[in-house]
Amino acid sequence: ATDDQLMILVQHADQKAFAELMARHHGLMLKIIRKYCGKRIDAEDMIQDVALSVWQHRDRWRAGEARFSTWLY
């Protein structure tokens, strides 16, 4: 499934799709965040914050307006 397809499922509270989407983007999120905070443990904490924010604000993403990765990063 594409990121957009998964995000549509996430918007319907599909936790499995959410887990897959976060796993798919974990590596790049880690790389980006580590540039700013340095420590891996701090970056992992921030990724958890990002994941929570994505879940809480999943209704704000709109298919066709921006790719999910653009909205995420």
Side-chain angles (χ1 to χ4, degrees), residues 6-72:
L6 290 172
M7 192 59 188
I8 289 167
L9 294 172
V10 170
Q11 287 181 318
H12 291 94
D14 185 319
Q15 293 178 4
K16 184 177 178 181
F18 177 71
E20 183 175 340
L21 198 55
M22 292 298 98
R24 183 178 289 180
H25 290 275
H26 184 270
L28 187 53
M29 284 191 290
L30 183 62
K31 183 178 179 178
I32 291 170
I33 293 170
R34 283 196 71 185
K35 283 184 180 181
Y36 296 100
C37 70
K39 294 182 181 178
R40 183 182 179 100
I41 190 79
D42 293 337
E44 292 289 352
D45 285 344
M46 289 180 159
I47 289 171
Q48 290 300 313
D49 291 341
V50 169
L52 180 60
S53 184
V54 168
W55 183 259
Q56 290 175 333
H57 302 289
R58 63 190 182 270
D59 60 321
R60 294 183 184 175
W61 177 81
R62 300 282 182 256
E65 288 184 13
R67 292 181 358 195
F68 170 75
S69 59
T70 302
W71 183 79
L72 173 67

